[in-house]
Each structure stands twice: as structure tokens, then as C-alpha cells.
Amino acid sequence: MTKQQHRWNLRLKSSNVYLGTVYLGDPLPEIEDVIMIGDKKYTILELGSSRDASDVFVEEVKKK
């Protein structure tokens, strides 16, 4: 039996630029969680209407 995977199409909130698609298992990240894509950190700002295949809008975390 395979585990459920959720497809997320990641987009930058400010410019709607497509960053890529990731496949995640449970538990899924929530709004305001930070995820890593390569060597950059992104905060999840908005989730699409469907949690299994949706656009997810993120913002890059700026280094302090």
C-alpha cells in the first residue's frame, strides 16, 4: 500500500511566479509554517481550496 501524497504547486504571492511542484505526505504544513526549497526558506501564506492538488502561495524568508 502506498501512502497518500498531496501535490502542491508553489507560487510566490507577490508576483505569482511558479516555483515548482512538490509532493508531500501527511502531516501537511500549515499557514505560517516555513519550508525549504533548495537553499531558500519560504513562509506559507495561503493554501488553495483543495489540500491534495492546489496552488500554495509563499513568500521568501529574508535573512536578518
Side-chain angles (χ1 to χ4, degrees):
M1 178 193 299
T2 61
K3 292 184 179 182
Q4 172 71 30
Q5 285 194 331
H6 305 272
R7 187 180 80 214
W8 282 14
N9 300 314
L10 299 174
R11 296 182 174 280
L12 282 176
K13 178 74 173 177
S14 59
S15 60
N16 202 29
V17 170
Y18 175 74
L19 297 175
T21 299
V22 295
Y23 294 87
L24 301 172
D26 291 321
L28 292 175
E30 298 290 335
I31 292 176
E32 295 188 4
D33 282 355
V34 175
I35 59 173
M36 293 285 297
I37 302 171
D39 61 348
K40 294 184 180 181
K41 291 182 182 179
Y42 294 90
T43 301
I44 298 171
L45 299 177
E46 183 180 326
L47 301 174
S49 58
S50 169
R51 294 286 305 247
D52 60 344
S54 60
D55 285 339
V56 175
F57 294 94
V58 297
E59 171 182 81
E60 186 175 348
V61 175
K62 301 295 182 195
K63 294 181 181 176
K64 295 180 181 179

